[in-house]
Structures are given as C-alpha cells and as structure tokens.
C-alpha cells in the first residue's frame, strides 16, 4: 500500500477508533490531519500520531461537525497546509444508550446531527479540495445501521442514513474519480463507544459471548482496513459498507443459540 505523503483528514480522529486509523495511516508515511471539538485533545492527538514510527506531517484542528462553516474552515486549512486531500474519513459520532421514551427530540436530533449531517458536512466541504481522480472517502458507520439494538434508536436511524449517504455519494461522485465507502466496526476494545454500551465486565462479556470470533476488535484492525480502502489496491471498490466486526453482522452466535451438530 503506497500511502506515503498522501494527505488525509479525519473527523473525530482525536480519540478511539479514528485515532487508531490515523496512527495506521501515519505508519504508512501519510500526512494526517485530525479534528474534533476540543482543540487541546486535537493537539495531543496530533503529537501522539507524530510519534508513530514512519509518521510524517500531522495536524490537530478543531471544529464541531454540526457547524458547516467551521467544518469548511478545517477542511480548507488542512488542504492549504498539506495539499489536495487523497483521503477523508468521517468518523465523528455521538452515542448514549437510552430507551426511546427517555430520548427527547433534542437528544435524537443531537445524534443524527453529529453522525449523519456531520458526515455530510465533512464530505461536502471536502469535495472541492479532493485530489480528483483518485481520492477516497470513508464513513465510519456501525452495525446499528442494519440491526436493531436496544436503547439505540437514535444511532440506528443516524447510521442507517450514513450507509445510504455513502452509497448515494459513491454513485454521484464516482464519475469525478472519487470513491466512497464505509467501514462498520464491531465492538472495539478500549473505546468510548464500548465504555458507554458495555459499562461493566458482565455486559462486556455478554457482547463477547455473542460474537462469532469471541473477542472485541482493536482500533488498528479497523485502521488496516481503512488504509487498504484508501490505497490504489482498492481503486475499483466504491459504494461498499464493509464490516470489520468479528462477525457481529452475522447475528447472535452465543453457544446456546447454535444448532448442535448432527454428527
Ligand atoms: P470516541 O473515542 O468517543 O471518538 C469520537 C470522536 O469524535 C472524538 O475525536 C471526538 O472528539 C469527536 N467528536 C464527537 N462529537 C463531535 C462533534 N460534534 N464534532 C466534531 N468531532 C466530534 O468514539 P469511538 O468509540 O472510538 O467511535 C468512533 C467511531 O466509530 C464512531 O463513528 C462510532 O459510531 C464508530 N463505532 C464505534 C464502535 C466502538 O466499538 N467503539 C463500534 C462501531 C462503530 P471531541 O470530543 O473533542 O469532539
Ligand atoms: N439519555 C437521554 N438523553 C440524553 C442522554 C442520555 N444518557 N445524554 C444526552 N442526552 C440528551 C440531552 O439530555 C439533551 O437533550 P435535552 O436538552 O432535551 O435533555 C441532548 O441529548 C443533547 O445533549 P448535550 O449534552 O447538550 O449534547 P452535546 O452536543 O453537548 O453532546 C452527546 C453530544 C450527548 C452525544 C455527548 O454524549 C457527546 O459529546 N458524545 C461524544 C462522544 C461519544 O459519544 N463517543 C461514542 C461514539 S460512538
């Protein structure tokens, strides 16, 4: 994968899975700009990415993905500093588990605004700054886009929208030489998302037991897929929602739900 000196921008790249993606891209010699809402967190993340062996230029910026003007500002700043963008990853998201009756219209809108509208804002602002042909856009979606999960009505709705956003943009922007895909991570260890969804060891074990691969994933495993999708090796792949999820998408594989072998 030749990502050396390719220019990347990652929304939500200041922690968790997206920071893991940033680290993998940097390890391939890519130039990486990350942003979140908190400028100090972004500065620290950029320093951390710069320490990855093989890393080159890194930048930490701040904007709320719900603010199109602020997003346009960071996209322009990244492109002015790094050059035309070869890859953009829309990974910023918000989540809190709650039953639908406890999620006010404002709470529902908050998550849809960050996950769905925020991804659109990032991709839309990026379009004029992309290297065309050749650029790759990746959204970070979730299994909730296609599976009903309890206490996740807002995330299910938002991420379902993200999946269709990706397919629609892939369709419209393909002729310009822009590929658009999504990665759907399963439960990834040591992330804010899983801290929120599985706050106790017992609940985490419940998740693990249902997974065909019986373990949580790592951020670098998602990063490896993002690196591949961003590379020339994937230049005929667009409009795809690709799980990196230990089999989450396949359904509940806990031992007591599996049919005994006939042998
Ligand atoms: P995380 O560590 O909480 O990362 C969220 C990132 O988004 C942070 O950089 C955060 O920085 C930024 N962010 C949040 N709201 C923002 C906003 N309004 N504007 C700009 N930036 C914002 O989360 P994670 O658990 O690693 O999840 C990362 C992505 O993977 C999300 O898209 C999530 O839906 C997806 N995912 C996660 C899992 C999992 O197991 N964790 C599974 C499936 C999918 P600031 O706080 O500074 O804004
Ligand atoms: N249950 C029900 N509603 C909740 C809630 C919960 N646990 N947490 C937040 N909300 C509601 C708030 O009550 C508010 O609605 P209201 O004014 O009608 O009560 C609405 O959501 C907005 O909350 P607010 O805290 O003002 O939003 P914010 O923009 O500051 O933060 C969040 C956005 C709520 C998504 C916050 O959790 C966040 O910043 N998350 C980013 C990190 C993250 O979620 N990581 C995991 C990614 S998968």
């Amino acid at each position: 994968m030749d990502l050396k000196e390719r220019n990347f921008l990652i929304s939500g790249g200041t922690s968790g899975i997206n920071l893991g993606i940033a680290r993998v891209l940097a390890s391939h010699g890519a130039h990486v700009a990350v942003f979140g809402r908190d400028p100090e967190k972004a500065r620290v993340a950029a320093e951390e990415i710069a320490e990855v062996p093989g890393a080159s230029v890194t930048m930490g910026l701040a904007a709320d993905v719900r603010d199109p003007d602020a997003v346009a500002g960071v996209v322009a700043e990244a492109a002015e500093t790094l050059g035309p963008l070869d890859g953009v990853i829309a990974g910023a998201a918000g989540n809190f588990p709650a039953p639908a009756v406890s999620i006010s219209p404002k709470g529902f809108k908050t998550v849809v605004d960050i996950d769905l509208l925020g991804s659109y804002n990032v991709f839309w602002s990026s379009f004029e700054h992309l290297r065309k042909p050749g650029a790759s856009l990746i959204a970070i979606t979730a299994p909730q886009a296609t599976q009903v999960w309890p206490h996740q009505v807002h995330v299910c709705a938002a991420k379902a929208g993200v999946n269709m956003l990706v397919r629609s943009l892939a369709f419209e922007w393909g002729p310009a030489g822009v590929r658009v895909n999504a990665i759907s991570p399963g439960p990834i260890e040591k992330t804010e998302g899983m801290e929120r969804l599985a706050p106790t060891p017992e609940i985490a074990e419940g998740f693990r037991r249902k997974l065909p691969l019986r373990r949580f994933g790592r951020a670098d495993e998602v990063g490896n897929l993002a690196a591949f999708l961003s590379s020339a090796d994937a230049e005929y792949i667009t409009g795809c929602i690709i799980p990196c999820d230990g089999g989450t998408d396949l359904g509940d594989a806990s031992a007591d739900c599996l049919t005994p072998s006939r042998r």
Side-chain angles (χ1 to χ4, degrees):
M1 279 181 285
D2 189 6
L3 299 175
K4 201 168 167 54
E5 295 177 5
R6 300 294 175 92
N7 304 321
F8 285 84
L9 175 68
I10 307 177
S11 74
T14 62
S15 64
I17 294 174
N18 305 308
L19 176 56
I21 293 171
R23 291 174 56 91
V24 172
L25 295 171
S27 75
H28 288 279
H31 301 156
V32 183
V34 294
F35 75 96
R37 288 164 299 179
D38 179 347
E40 177 59 13
K41 190 171 155 186
R43 188 189 63 74
V44 171
E47 279 181 9
E48 182 187 323
I49 300 162
E51 283 166 17
V52 171
S56 175
V57 182
T58 68
M59 296 174 71
L61 303 167
D64 191 317
V65 291
R66 292 168 285 189
D67 178 344
D69 293 338
V71 170
V74 297
V75 172
E77 189 175 344
E80 272 158 27
T81 308
L82 303 178
L85 299 174
D86 298 287
V88 175
I89 293 156
N95 191 0
F96 51 84
V101 289
S102 303
I103 301 177
S104 68
K106 184 180 164 198
F108 186 89
K109 180 175 184 301
T110 297
V111 169
V112 173
D113 278 351
I114 300 171
D115 293 23
L116 177 54
L117 279 72
S119 298
Y120 187 74
N121 293 340
V122 170
F123 287 159
W124 190 85
S125 280
S126 297
F127 186 76
E128 68 174 290
H129 298 285
L130 296 175
R131 195 187 305 281
K132 299 187 275 291
S136 151
L137 307 183
I138 299 173
I140 306 302
T141 183
Q144 291 96 314
T146 54
Q147 290 179 344
V148 174
W149 283 24
H151 299 177
Q152 290 284 275
V153 62
H154 45 354
V155 174
C156 291
K159 294 293 194 181
V162 168
N163 286 13
M164 281 309 288
L165 171 67
V166 160
R167 287 166 54 79
S168 302
L169 292 183
F171 187 79
E172 285 207 26
W173 291 354
V178 177
R179 296 182 298 107
V180 192
N181 293 291
I183 296 175
S184 180
I188 302 300
E189 66 181 16
K190 300 176 194 158
T191 59
E192 181 62 30
M194 281 317 291
E195 289 295 319
R196 291 179 182 219
L197 291 174
T200 68
E202 293 74 28
I203 299 175
E205 185 47 35
F207 266 93
R208 244 177 244 113
R209 211 175 37 239
K210 290 180 182 171
L211 285 167
L213 291 187
R214 296 286 194 271
R215 69 170 177 87
F216 285 4
R218 300 187 312 272
D220 66 285
E221 293 177 310
V222 182
N224 289 337
L225 176 55
F228 166 70
L229 281 177
S230 304
S231 75
D233 293 341
E235 67 189 1
Y236 206 52
I237 299 176
T238 197
C240 296
I241 316 294
I242 305 179
C244 180
D245 69 355
T248 304
D249 189 45
L250 305 174
D252 179 349
S254 53
D256 55 5
C257 84
L258 296 177
T259 311
S261 162
R262 283 199 287 161
R263 282 192 288 156

